[in-house]
Amino acid sequence: MSQDYAYDARRTPPAPVLPVRLGAPGAEPTVFLVALVDTGADLSVVPEQVPAQAQLPRVGEITIRGVGGSQRRVPLFAAAVEAAGTTRIVEVVGLGGEALVGRDLLNRWTLRLDGPRQVMRVIPSA
């Protein structure tokens, strides 16, 4: 069943966002975030304090590359992410102060961005 989500009109220009809840795999997701939909992000990102707050298990380390090309090693965490009516176990990075939904989750859904109406429709895959 598809669900519609309003763009965040506080951003300039307005941008698609998705409400998510997350927690450690096997536990009830307890942390609520509004995440920017970022088709350019390989992985989903949570604010750097969230892995400790949600008690996410560290599963490794990864080298990330920023927009300017700078690279750095950061911890990788396992998380149960509840969004758009589904729950998925994914690996997330704790970085900065903003949550991003990356292609690791976005590629599991069909998205329709309606910029003029400032609405995103998410259709979960079967």
Side-chain angles (χ1 to χ4, degrees), residues 73-97:
R73 301 278 297 164
V74 295
L76 195 59
F77 301 91
V81 178
E82 185 181 287
T86 62
T87 301
R88 305 279 188 186
I89 306 297
V90 297
E91 294 176 337
V92 299
V93 172
L95 183 68

Side-chain angles (χ1 to χ4, degrees), residues 24-93:
E28 182 71 24
T30 57
V31 176
F32 177 79
L33 301 166
V34 176
L36 179 67
V37 172
D38 187 347
T39 61
D42 296 338
L43 294 173
S44 294
V45 176
V46 296
E48 59 190 327
Q49 76 277 8
V50 168
Q53 179 184 357
Q55 299 180 338
L56 303 181
R58 184 175 173 162
V59 295
E61 196 171 73
I62 189 170
T63 300
I64 61 166
R65 183 172 309 175
V67 174
S70 63
Q71 295 183 16
R72 71 184 225 192
R73 301 278 297 164
V74 295
L76 195 59
F77 301 91
V81 178
E82 185 181 287
T86 62
T87 301
R88 305 279 188 186
I89 306 297
V90 297
E91 294 176 337
V92 299
V93 172

